[in-house]
Coordinates of all heavy atoms in Angstrom, one line a residue:
I1 N 84.1 95.4 115.6 CA 83.6 94.1 115.7 C 84.6 93.2 116.5 O 85.8 93.2 116.1 CB 83.5 93.5 114.3 CG1 82.4 94.3 113.5 CG2 83.1 92.0 114.3 CD1 81.0 94.2 114.0
P2 N 84.2 92.6 117.5 CA 85.1 91.6 118.2 C 85.1 90.3 117.6 O 84.1 89.8 117.0 CB 84.4 91.5 119.6 CG 83.0 91.8 119.4 CD 82.9 92.7 118.2
M3 N 86.2 89.6 117.6 CA 86.3 88.2 117.1 C 87.3 87.6 118.1 O 88.5 87.7 118.0 CB 86.9 88.2 115.7 CG 87.0 86.9 115.1 SD 85.3 86.2 114.8 CE 85.8 84.5 114.5
D4 N 86.8 86.9 119.1 CA 87.6 86.3 120.1 C 88.5 87.3 120.8 O 88.0 88.3 121.3 CB 88.4 85.1 119.6 CG 87.5 83.9 119.3 OD1 86.3 83.9 119.6 OD2 88.0 83.0 118.6
E5 N 89.8 87.2 120.6 CA 90.7 88.2 121.3 C 91.0 89.4 120.5 O 91.8 90.3 120.9 CB 92.1 87.5 121.6 CG 93.1 87.5 120.5 CD 92.7 86.8 119.2 OE1 91.7 86.0 119.1 OE2 93.4 87.0 118.2
T6 N 90.3 89.6 119.4 CA 90.6 90.7 118.4 C 89.5 91.7 118.3 O 88.3 91.3 118.5 CB 90.7 90.0 117.0 OG1 91.8 89.1 117.0 CG2 91.0 91.0 115.9
L7 N 89.8 92.9 118.1 CA 88.8 94.0 117.9 C 89.3 94.8 116.7 O 90.4 95.3 116.7 CB 88.7 94.9 119.2 CG 87.6 95.9 119.1 CD1 86.2 95.3 119.0 CD2 87.8 96.8 120.3
S8 N 88.4 95.0 115.8 CA 88.7 95.8 114.6 C 87.5 96.8 114.4 O 86.4 96.6 114.8 CB 88.8 95.0 113.3 OG 89.9 94.1 113.5
R9 N 87.8 97.9 113.7 CA 86.9 99.0 113.4 C 87.0 99.4 111.9 O 88.1 99.5 111.4 CB 87.1 100.2 114.3 CG 86.3 101.4 114.0 CD 86.5 102.5 115.0 NE 87.8 102.7 115.4 CZ 88.2 103.1 116.6 NH1 87.3 103.4 117.5 NH2 89.5 103.3 116.9
V10 N 85.8 99.6 111.3 CA 85.7 100.1 109.9 C 84.8 101.3 109.9 O 83.7 101.2 110.4 CB 85.2 99.0 109.0 CG1 84.9 99.6 107.6 CG2 86.2 97.9 108.8
S11 N 85.3 102.4 109.4 CA 84.5 103.6 109.2 C 84.5 103.8 107.7 O 85.5 103.7 107.0 CB 85.0 104.8 109.9 OG 85.1 104.5 111.3
L12 N 83.3 104.3 107.2 CA 83.3 104.5 105.7 C 82.3 105.6 105.3 O 81.5 106.0 106.1 CB 82.9 103.2 105.0 CG 81.6 102.5 105.3 CD1 80.4 103.1 104.5 CD2 81.7 101.0 105.0
D13 N 82.6 106.1 104.1 CA 81.7 107.1 103.6 C 81.5 106.8 102.1 O 82.5 106.7 101.3 CB 82.3 108.5 103.7 CG 81.4 109.6 103.2 OD1 80.2 109.4 103.1 OD2 82.0 110.7 102.8
L14 N 80.3 106.5 101.7 CA 79.9 106.2 100.3 C 79.9 107.6 99.6 O 78.8 108.1 99.3 CB 78.6 105.5 100.2 CG 78.6 104.2 101.0 CD1 77.2 103.6 101.0 CD2 79.6 103.2 100.5
S15 N 81.0 108.1 99.3 CA 81.2 109.5 98.8 C 81.6 109.6 97.4 O 81.7 110.7 96.9 CB 82.3 110.1 99.7 OG 83.5 109.4 99.5
N16 N 81.8 108.5 96.7 CA 82.4 108.6 95.4 C 83.8 109.2 95.3 O 84.2 109.8 94.3 CB 81.5 109.2 94.3 CG 81.7 108.7 92.9 OD1 82.2 107.6 92.8 ND2 81.5 109.5 91.9
R17 N 84.5 109.2 96.5 CA 85.8 109.6 96.6 C 86.6 108.4 97.2 O 86.8 108.3 98.4 CB 85.9 110.8 97.5 CG 85.4 112.1 96.9 CD 85.7 113.3 97.7 NE 85.3 113.2 99.1 CZ 84.1 113.5 99.6 NH1 83.1 113.9 98.9 NH2 83.9 113.4 100.9
P18 N 87.1 107.5 96.3 CA 87.7 106.3 96.8 C 89.0 106.6 97.5 O 89.9 107.3 97.0 CB 87.9 105.4 95.6 CG 87.8 106.4 94.4 CD 87.0 107.5 94.9
Y19 N 89.2 106.0 98.7 CA 90.4 106.2 99.5 C 90.5 105.1 100.5 O 89.4 104.8 101.1 CB 90.5 107.6 100.1 CG 91.8 108.0 100.5 CD1 92.7 108.6 99.6 CD2 92.3 107.8 101.8 CE1 94.0 109.0 100.0 CE2 93.6 108.2 102.2 CZ 94.4 108.8 101.3 OH 95.7 109.1 101.6
L20 N 91.6 104.6 100.8 CA 91.8 103.6 101.9 C 92.8 104.0 102.9 O 93.9 104.4 102.5 CB 92.2 102.2 101.3 CG 92.5 101.1 102.3 CD1 91.3 100.7 103.0 CD2 93.2 100.0 101.6
I21 N 92.4 104.0 104.1 CA 93.4 104.0 105.3 C 93.4 102.6 105.8 O 92.3 102.1 106.2 CB 93.0 105.0 106.3 CG1 92.9 106.5 105.8 CG2 93.8 104.9 107.6 CD1 94.3 107.0 105.4
W22 N 94.6 102.0 105.9 CA 94.7 100.6 106.3 C 95.6 100.6 107.5 O 96.9 100.8 107.4 CB 95.3 99.8 105.2 CG 95.5 98.3 105.5 CD1 96.7 97.7 105.7 CD2 94.5 97.3 105.5 NE1 96.5 96.4 105.9 CE2 95.2 96.1 105.8 CE3 93.1 97.3 105.4 CZ2 94.5 94.9 105.9 CZ3 92.4 96.0 105.5 CH2 93.1 94.9 105.8
N23 N 95.1 100.4 108.7 CA 95.9 100.3 109.9 C 95.8 98.9 110.5 O 95.2 98.8 111.6 CB 95.4 101.4 110.9 CG 96.4 101.6 112.0 OD1 97.5 101.1 112.1 ND2 95.9 102.3 113.0
V24 N 96.3 98.0 109.8 CA 96.2 96.6 110.2 C 97.5 95.9 110.0 O 98.1 96.1 108.9 CB 95.1 95.8 109.3 CG1 95.0 94.3 109.7 CG2 93.7 96.5 109.4
N25 N 98.0 95.3 111.0 CA 99.3 94.6 110.9 C 99.1 93.1 111.2 O 98.3 92.8 112.1 CB 100.3 95.2 111.9 CG 100.6 96.6 111.6 OD1 101.0 96.9 110.4 ND2 100.4 97.6 112.5
F26 N 99.9 92.3 110.5 CA 99.9 90.9 110.8 C 101.2 90.4 111.3 O 102.2 91.0 111.0 CB 99.6 90.1 109.4 CG 98.2 90.5 108.9 CD1 98.1 91.4 107.8 CD2 97.0 90.0 109.4 CE1 96.9 91.7 107.3 CE2 95.8 90.3 108.9 CZ 95.7 91.1 107.8
S27 N 101.2 89.3 112.1 CA 102.4 88.8 112.6 C 103.0 87.7 111.8 O 104.1 87.2 112.1 CB 102.1 88.2 114.0 OG 101.2 87.2 114.0
A28 N 102.3 87.4 110.7 CA 102.9 86.4 109.8 C 102.6 86.8 108.3 O 101.7 87.5 108.1 CB 102.2 85.0 110.0
A29 N 103.4 86.3 107.4 CA 103.3 86.7 106.0 C 102.2 85.9 105.3 O 101.7 86.3 104.3 CB 104.6 86.4 105.3
K30 N 101.7 84.8 105.9 CA 100.7 83.9 105.3 C 99.7 83.4 106.4 O 100.1 83.3 107.5 CB 101.3 82.7 104.6 CG 102.2 83.1 103.5 CD 102.7 81.8 102.7 CE 103.6 82.2 101.6 NZ 102.9 82.8 100.4
I31 N 98.5 83.2 105.9 CA 97.5 82.6 106.7 C 97.3 81.2 106.1 O 97.1 81.1 104.9 CB 96.2 83.3 106.7 CG1 96.3 84.6 107.5 CG2 95.0 82.5 107.3 CD1 95.1 85.5 107.5
T32 N 97.4 80.1 106.9 CA 97.3 78.8 106.4 C 95.9 78.3 106.7 O 95.3 78.4 107.8 CB 98.3 77.9 107.1 OG1 99.6 78.4 106.8 CG2 98.2 76.5 106.6
S33 N 95.3 77.6 105.7 CA 94.0 77.0 105.9 C 94.0 75.6 105.2 O 95.0 75.2 104.6 CB 92.9 77.9 105.2 OG 93.0 77.8 103.8
S34 N 92.8 75.0 105.2 CA 92.8 73.7 104.6 C 92.9 73.7 103.1 O 93.3 72.8 102.4 CB 91.4 73.0 104.9 OG 90.4 73.8 104.5
Q35 N 92.7 74.9 102.5 CA 92.9 75.1 101.1 C 94.3 75.6 100.7 O 94.6 75.8 99.5 CB 91.9 76.2 100.5 CG 90.4 75.7 100.4 CD 89.6 75.9 101.7 OE1 89.9 76.7 102.5 NE2 88.6 75.0 101.9
G36 N 95.1 75.8 101.7 CA 96.5 76.2 101.4 C 96.8 77.5 102.1 O 96.2 78.0 103.0
D37 N 97.9 78.2 101.6 CA 98.4 79.4 102.2 C 97.9 80.6 101.4 O 97.7 80.6 100.2 CB 99.9 79.5 102.2 CG 100.5 78.4 103.1 OD1 99.9 78.0 104.0 OD2 101.7 78.1 102.9
F38 N 97.7 81.7 102.2 CA 97.2 83.0 101.5 C 98.0 84.1 102.1 O 98.2 84.2 103.3 CB 95.7 83.2 101.9 CG 95.0 84.2 101.0 CD1 94.5 83.8 99.8 CD2 94.9 85.5 101.4 CE1 93.9 84.8 99.0 CE2 94.3 86.4 100.7 CZ 93.8 86.1 99.4
D39 N 98.6 84.9 101.2 CA 99.5 86.0 101.7 C 98.7 87.1 102.4 O 97.7 87.6 101.9 CB 100.2 86.7 100.5 CG 101.2 85.8 99.8 OD1 101.6 84.8 100.4 OD2 101.5 86.0 98.6
T40 N 99.1 87.4 103.6 CA 98.3 88.4 104.4 C 98.4 89.8 103.7 O 97.5 90.6 103.9 CB 98.9 88.5 105.8 OG1 100.3 88.7 105.8 CG2 98.6 87.2 106.6
E41 N 99.4 90.1 102.9 CA 99.5 91.4 102.3 C 98.4 91.6 101.2 O 98.0 92.7 100.9 CB 100.8 91.6 101.6 CG 101.1 90.7 100.4 CD 102.5 90.9 99.8 OE1 103.3 91.6 100.4 OE2 102.7 90.3 98.8
L42 N 97.8 90.5 100.8 CA 96.7 90.6 99.8 C 95.4 91.1 100.4 O 94.6 91.6 99.6 CB 96.4 89.2 99.1 CG 97.6 88.7 98.3 CD1 97.3 87.3 97.8 CD2 97.9 89.6 97.1
F43 N 95.2 91.1 101.7 CA 94.0 91.6 102.3 C 93.9 93.1 102.1 O 92.9 93.7 101.8 CB 93.9 91.2 103.7 CG 93.6 89.8 103.9 CD1 94.6 88.9 104.4 CD2 92.4 89.2 103.6 CE1 94.4 87.6 104.5 CE2 92.2 87.9 103.7 CZ 93.2 87.0 104.2
K44 N 95.0 93.8 102.3 CA 95.0 95.3 102.0 C 94.7 95.5 100.5 O 93.9 96.5 100.2 CB 96.4 95.9 102.3 CG 96.4 97.4 102.0 CD 97.8 98.0 102.3 CE 97.7 99.5 102.0 NZ 99.0 100.1 102.2
E45 N 95.2 94.7 99.6 CA 94.9 94.9 98.2 C 93.4 94.7 97.9 O 92.9 95.4 97.1 CB 95.8 93.9 97.4 CG 97.3 94.2 97.5 CD 97.7 95.6 97.1 OE1 97.1 96.1 96.1 OE2 98.6 96.1 97.8
W46 N 92.8 93.8 98.6 CA 91.4 93.5 98.4 C 90.6 94.7 98.9 O 89.7 95.2 98.2 CB 90.9 92.3 99.2 CG 89.5 92.0 98.8 CD1 89.0 91.1 97.8 CD2 88.3 92.5 99.5 NE1 87.7 91.1 97.8 CE2 87.2 92.0 98.8 CE3 88.1 93.4 100.5 CZ2 85.9 92.3 99.2 CZ3 86.8 93.7 100.9 CH2 85.7 93.2 100.2
F47 N 90.9 95.2 100.1 CA 90.2 96.4 100.6 C 90.4 97.6 99.7 O 89.5 98.4 99.5 CB 90.6 96.7 102.1 CG 89.8 95.8 103.0 CD1 90.3 94.5 103.3 CD2 88.7 96.2 103.6 CE1 89.6 93.7 104.2 CE2 88.0 95.4 104.5 CZ 88.5 94.1 104.8
Q48 N 91.6 97.8 99.2 CA 91.9 98.9 98.3 C 91.1 98.8 97.0 O 90.5 99.8 96.5 CB 93.4 98.9 97.9 CG 93.8 100.0 96.9 CD 93.7 101.4 97.5 OE1 94.2 101.6 98.6 NE2 93.0 102.3 96.8
A49 N 91.0 97.6 96.4 CA 90.2 97.4 95.2 C 88.7 97.7 95.5 O 88.0 98.2 94.7 CB 90.4 96.0 94.7
F50 N 88.2 97.2 96.7 CA 86.8 97.5 97.1 C 86.6 99.0 97.1 O 85.6 99.4 96.6 CB 86.5 96.8 98.4 CG 85.1 97.1 98.9 CD1 84.1 96.4 98.4 CD2 84.9 98.2 99.8 CE1 82.8 96.7 98.9 CE2 83.7 98.5 100.2 CZ 82.6 97.7 99.7
A51 N 87.5 99.7 97.8 CA 87.3 101.1 97.9 C 87.2 101.8 96.6 O 86.4 102.7 96.3 CB 88.4 101.7 98.8
Q52 N 88.1 101.4 95.7 CA 88.2 102.0 94.4 C 87.0 101.7 93.6 O 86.4 102.6 92.9 CB 89.4 101.5 93.6 CG 90.8 102.1 94.1 CD 90.9 103.6 93.9 OE1 90.5 104.1 92.9 NE2 91.4 104.3 94.9
A53 N 86.6 100.5 93.5 CA 85.4 100.0 92.7 C 84.1 100.6 93.2 O 83.2 100.8 92.4 CB 85.4 98.5 92.6
S54 N 84.0 100.8 94.5 CA 82.7 101.2 95.1 C 82.7 102.7 95.3 O 81.6 103.3 95.7 CB 82.4 100.5 96.4 OG 83.4 100.8 97.3
G55 N 83.8 103.4 95.1 CA 83.9 104.9 95.4 C 83.7 105.2 96.8 O 83.1 106.2 97.2
T56 N 84.3 104.4 97.7 CA 84.1 104.5 99.1 C 85.4 105.0 99.8 O 86.5 104.5 99.5 CB 83.8 103.1 99.7 OG1 82.6 102.6 99.1 CG2 83.6 103.2 101.2
T57 N 85.3 106.0 100.7 CA 86.3 106.4 101.6 C 86.3 105.4 102.7 O 85.2 105.2 103.4 CB 86.1 107.8 102.1 OG1 86.1 108.7 101.0 CG2 87.3 108.2 103.1
L58 N 87.3 104.6 102.9 CA 87.3 103.5 103.8 C 88.5 103.5 104.8 O 89.6 103.6 104.3 CB 87.4 102.2 102.9 CG 87.3 100.8 103.6 CD1 86.0 100.7 104.4 CD2 87.4 99.8 102.5
H59 N 88.2 103.4 106.0 CA 89.2 103.4 107.1 C 89.0 102.1 107.8 O 88.0 101.8 108.4 CB 89.0 104.5 108.1 CG 89.3 105.9 107.5 ND1 90.3 106.7 108.0 CD2 88.7 106.5 106.4 CE1 90.3 107.8 107.2 NE2 89.4 107.7 106.3
V60 N 90.1 101.3 107.8 CA 90.1 99.9 108.4 C 91.2 99.9 109.4 O 92.4 100.2 109.1 CB 90.3 98.8 107.4 CG1 90.2 97.4 108.1 CG2 89.3 98.9 106.3
E61 N 90.9 99.6 110.7 CA 91.9 99.5 111.7 C 91.7 98.3 112.6 O 90.5 98.0 113.0 CB 92.1 100.8 112.5 CG 90.9 101.2 113.3 CD 91.1 102.5 114.0 OE1 92.1 102.7 114.6 OE2 90.1 103.3 114.0
N62 N 92.8 97.6 112.9 CA 92.7 96.6 113.9 C 93.2 97.2 115.2 O 94.4 97.7 115.3 CB 93.6 95.4 113.5 CG 93.7 94.4 114.6 OD1 94.7 94.1 115.1 ND2 92.6 93.8 115.0
I63 N 92.4 97.3 116.2 CA 92.7 97.9 117.5 C 93.6 97.0 118.3 O 94.6 97.5 118.9 CB 91.4 98.3 118.2 CG1 90.6 99.3 117.3 CG2 91.7 98.9 119.6 CD1 89.2 99.5 117.8
Y64 N 93.3 95.7 118.4 CA 94.2 94.8 119.0 C 93.8 93.4 118.5 O 92.7 93.1 118.0 CB 94.2 94.9 120.5 CG 92.9 94.8 121.2 CD1 92.2 93.6 121.4 CD2 92.2 96.0 121.6 CE1 91.0 93.5 122.0 CE2 91.0 95.9 122.2 CZ 90.4 94.7 122.4 OH 89.2 94.7 123.0
G65 N 94.7 92.5 118.7 CA 94.5 91.1 118.3 C 95.8 90.3 118.1 O 96.8 90.9 117.9
I66 N 95.7 89.0 118.2 CA 96.9 88.2 118.1 C 96.8 87.2 116.9 O 97.7 87.1 116.1 CB 97.1 87.3 119.4 CG1 97.4 88.3 120.6 CG2 98.3 86.4 119.2 CD1 97.3 87.6 121.9
N67 N 95.6 86.6 116.8 CA 95.4 85.6 115.7 C 95.1 86.3 114.4 O 94.1 87.0 114.3 CB 94.2 84.7 116.2 CG 93.9 83.6 115.2 OD1 93.6 83.8 114.0 ND2 94.0 82.3 115.7
N68 N 96.0 86.0 113.4 CA 95.8 86.7 112.1 C 94.5 86.4 111.4 O 93.9 87.2 110.8 CB 97.0 86.3 111.2 CG 98.3 86.9 111.7 OD1 98.3 88.1 112.0 ND2 99.3 86.1 111.7
H69 N 94.0 85.1 111.6 CA 92.7 84.7 111.0 C 91.6 85.6 111.6 O 90.7 86.1 110.9 CB 92.5 83.3 111.2 CG 91.1 82.8 110.7 ND1 90.9 82.4 109.4 CD2 90.0 82.7 111.4 CE1 89.6 82.1 109.3 NE2 89.0 82.3 110.5
H70 N 91.6 85.7 112.9 CA 90.6 86.5 113.6 C 90.7 88.0 113.3 O 89.7 88.7 113.1 CB 90.8 86.4 115.2 CG 90.5 85.0 115.6 ND1 90.9 84.5 116.9 CD2 89.8 83.9 115.0 CE1 90.5 83.3 117.0 NE2 89.9 82.9 115.9
I71 N 91.9 88.5 113.1 CA 92.1 89.9 112.7 C 91.4 90.2 111.4 O 90.6 91.1 111.2 CB 93.6 90.3 112.6 CG1 94.2 90.3 114.0 CG2 93.8 91.6 111.9 CD1 95.7 90.4 114.1
I72 N 91.7 89.3 110.4 CA 91.1 89.6 109.0 C 89.6 89.3 109.0 O 88.8 90.1 108.4 CB 91.8 88.8 107.9 CG1 91.5 89.5 106.6 CG2 91.5 87.4 107.9 CD1 91.8 90.9 106.4
E73 N 89.2 88.3 109.8 CA 87.7 88.1 109.8 C 87.0 89.2 110.5 O 85.9 89.6 110.0 CB 87.5 86.8 110.6 CG 86.0 86.3 110.5 CD 85.8 84.9 111.1 OE1 86.7 84.2 111.4 OE2 84.6 84.6 111.2
S74 N 87.6 89.8 111.5 CA 86.9 90.9 112.2 C 86.9 92.2 111.2 O 85.9 92.9 111.3 CB 87.5 91.3 113.5 OG 88.8 91.8 113.4
C75 N 87.9 92.3 110.4 CA 87.9 93.4 109.4 C 86.8 93.3 108.4 O 86.1 94.2 108.1 CB 89.2 93.5 108.7 SG 90.6 94.1 109.8
F76 N 86.6 92.1 107.9 CA 85.5 91.8 106.9 C 84.2 92.0 107.5 O 83.2 92.6 106.9 CB 85.7 90.4 106.3 CG 86.6 90.4 105.1 CD1 87.8 89.7 105.2 CD2 86.3 91.0 103.9 CE1 88.7 89.7 104.2 CE2 87.2 90.9 102.8 CZ 88.4 90.3 103.0
K77 N 84.0 91.5 108.7 CA 82.7 91.6 109.4 C 82.4 93.1 109.7 O 81.2 93.5 109.6 CB 82.7 90.8 110.7 CG 82.5 89.3 110.4 CD 82.5 88.5 111.7 CE 82.2 87.0 111.3 NZ 82.1 86.2 112.5
A78 N 83.4 93.8 110.1 CA 83.2 95.2 110.4 C 82.8 96.0 109.2 O 82.0 96.9 109.2 CB 84.5 95.8 111.1
L79 N 83.4 95.6 108.0 CA 83.1 96.3 106.8 C 81.6 96.0 106.4 O 80.8 96.9 106.1 CB 83.9 95.8 105.6 CG 83.5 96.2 104.2 CD1 83.6 97.7 104.1 CD2 84.4 95.5 103.2
A80 N 81.2 94.7 106.6 CA 79.8 94.4 106.3 C 78.8 95.1 107.2 O 77.8 95.7 106.7 CB 79.6 92.9 106.5
R81 N 79.1 95.2 108.4 CA 78.2 96.0 109.4 C 78.2 97.4 109.0 O 77.1 98.1 109.0 CB 78.6 95.7 110.8 CG 77.7 96.5 111.7 CD 77.7 96.1 113.1 NE 77.2 94.7 113.2 CZ 77.2 94.0 114.4 NH1 77.6 94.6 115.5 NH2 76.7 92.8 114.5
S82 N 79.3 98.0 108.7 CA 79.4 99.4 108.4 C 78.6 99.7 107.1 O 77.9 100.8 107.0 CB 80.8 99.9 108.2 OG 81.5 99.8 109.4
L83 N 78.7 98.9 106.1 CA 77.9 99.0 104.9 C 76.4 99.0 105.2 O 75.7 99.8 104.6 CB 78.3 98.0 103.9 CG 79.6 98.2 103.1 CD1 80.0 97.0 102.3 CD2 79.5 99.4 102.2
R84 N 76.0 98.0 106.0 CA 74.6 97.9 106.3 C 74.1 99.2 107.0 O 73.0 99.7 106.6 CB 74.4 96.7 107.2 CG 72.9 96.5 107.4 CD 72.6 95.3 108.4 NE 73.0 95.7 109.7 CZ 73.2 94.9 110.7 NH1 73.1 93.6 110.5 NH2 73.6 95.4 111.9
I85 N 74.8 99.7 107.9 CA 74.4 100.9 108.6 C 74.4 102.1 107.6 O 73.5 102.9 107.6 CB 75.4 101.2 109.8 CG1 75.1 100.1 110.9 CG2 75.1 102.6 110.3 CD1 76.2 100.1 111.9
A86 N 75.4 102.2 106.7 CA 75.5 103.3 105.8 C 74.3 103.4 104.8 O 73.9 104.5 104.4 CB 76.8 103.2 105.0
V87 N 73.7 102.3 104.5 CA 72.7 102.3 103.5 C 71.3 102.0 104.1 O 70.3 102.0 103.4 CB 72.9 101.3 102.3 CG1 74.2 101.6 101.6 CG2 72.9 99.8 102.8
Q88 N 71.2 101.9 105.4 CA 70.0 101.6 106.0 C 69.1 102.8 106.0 O 69.5 104.0 106.3 CB 70.2 101.2 107.5 CG 69.0 100.8 108.3 CD 69.4 100.2 109.6 OE1 70.5 100.5 110.1 NE2 68.5 99.5 110.2
V89 N 67.8 102.6 105.7 CA 66.9 103.7 105.6 C 66.5 104.1 107.0 O 66.2 103.2 107.9 CB 65.6 103.3 104.8 CG1 64.6 104.4 104.9 CG2 66.0 103.0 103.4
D90 N 66.5 105.4 107.3 CA 66.2 105.9 108.7 C 64.7 105.8 108.8 O 63.9 106.4 108.0 CB 66.7 107.3 108.8 CG 66.5 107.9 110.2 OD1 65.6 107.4 110.9 OD2 67.2 108.8 110.6
A91 N 64.2 105.1 109.8 CA 62.7 104.9 110.0 C 62.0 106.2 110.2 O 60.8 106.4 109.9 CB 62.5 104.0 111.2
R92 N 62.7 107.3 110.6 CA 62.1 108.6 110.9 C 61.9 109.3 109.6 O 61.2 110.3 109.5 CB 63.0 109.4 111.8 CG 63.1 108.8 113.2 CD 64.1 109.4 114.0 NE 65.4 109.1 113.4 CZ 66.6 109.6 113.8 NH1 66.6 110.4 114.9 NH2 67.7 109.3 113.2
E93 N 62.7 108.9 108.5 CA 62.6 109.6 107.2 C 62.6 108.5 106.1 O 63.5 108.4 105.3 CB 63.8 110.5 107.0 CG 63.8 111.6 108.1 CD 64.9 112.6 107.8 OE1 65.0 113.1 106.7 OE2 65.7 112.9 108.8
K94 N 61.5 107.8 106.1 CA 61.4 106.6 105.2 C 61.5 106.9 103.7 O 62.0 106.0 103.0 CB 60.1 105.8 105.4 CG 60.0 105.2 106.8 CD 58.8 104.4 107.0 CE 58.8 103.8 108.4 NZ 57.6 103.1 108.6
N95 N 61.2 108.0 103.2 CA 61.2 108.3 101.8 C 62.4 109.1 101.4 O 62.4 109.6 100.3 CB 59.9 109.0 101.4 CG 58.7 108.2 101.7 OD1 58.7 107.0 101.4 ND2 57.6 108.8 102.1
K96 N 63.4 109.1 102.2 CA 64.6 109.9 101.9 C 65.8 109.0 101.8 O 66.0 108.0 102.5 CB 64.9 111.0 102.9 CG 63.9 112.1 102.9 CD 64.3 113.2 103.8 CE 63.3 114.4 103.7 NZ 63.7 115.5 104.6
V97 N 66.7 109.3 100.8 CA 68.0 108.5 100.7 C 68.9 108.9 101.9 O 69.0 110.1 102.2 CB 68.7 108.9 99.4 CG1 70.0 108.3 99.3 CG2 67.8 108.5 98.2
P98 N 69.5 108.0 102.6 CA 70.4 108.3 103.7 C 71.7 108.9 103.3 O 72.8 108.4 103.5 CB 70.5 106.9 104.4 CG 70.5 106.0 103.3 CD 69.5 106.5 102.3
S99 N 71.6 110.1 102.7 CA 72.8 110.8 102.3 C 72.5 112.3 102.3 O 71.5 112.8 101.9 CB 73.1 110.4 100.8 OG 74.1 111.2 100.3
T100 N 73.6 113.1 102.7 CA 73.4 114.5 102.6 C 73.5 115.0 101.2 O 73.1 116.2 100.9 CB 74.6 115.2 103.4 OG1 75.8 114.8 102.9 CG2 74.5 114.9 104.9
K101 N 73.9 114.2 100.3 CA 74.0 114.6 98.8 C 72.7 114.2 98.1 O 72.6 114.5 96.9 CB 75.2 113.9 98.2 CG 76.5 114.3 98.7 CD 77.6 113.5 98.1 CE 78.9 113.8 98.8 NZ 80.0 112.9 98.4
G102 N 71.8 113.4 98.7 CA 70.6 113.0 98.1 C 70.7 111.8 97.2 O 69.8 111.4 96.6
E103 N 71.9 111.1 97.2 CA 72.0 109.9 96.4 C 73.2 109.1 97.0 O 74.0 109.6 97.8 CB 72.4 110.2 95.0 CG 73.7 111.0 94.8 CD 74.0 111.3 93.4 OE1 73.1 111.2 92.5 OE2 75.1 111.7 93.1
L104 N 73.1 107.8 96.7 CA 74.2 106.9 97.2 C 75.1 106.6 96.0 O 74.6 106.5 94.9 CB 73.7 105.7 97.8 CG 73.0 105.8 99.2 CD1 72.5 104.5 99.6 CD2 74.0 106.3 100.2

């Protein structure tokens, strides 16, 4: 997912085998917004908790980018798009669950 000067990628498997690969680096310890400061290290913790709670094997990587806000926004948007694709019913097989295991 591109976000201005940033490009991030998320790959996932709804496998009931929770695991996180986090290949995202920030140039600052905090992101500042109108609501205050937010520690950038907490984003990895959020993605880890998501992977554990959902049973998802999750790989998140920022390929390039400068603006920390754009980096994290592109990671969240890439996660959303990957999830949508992972659970989307294949029009060629409308009555089948999109899984080799037969369930999500």
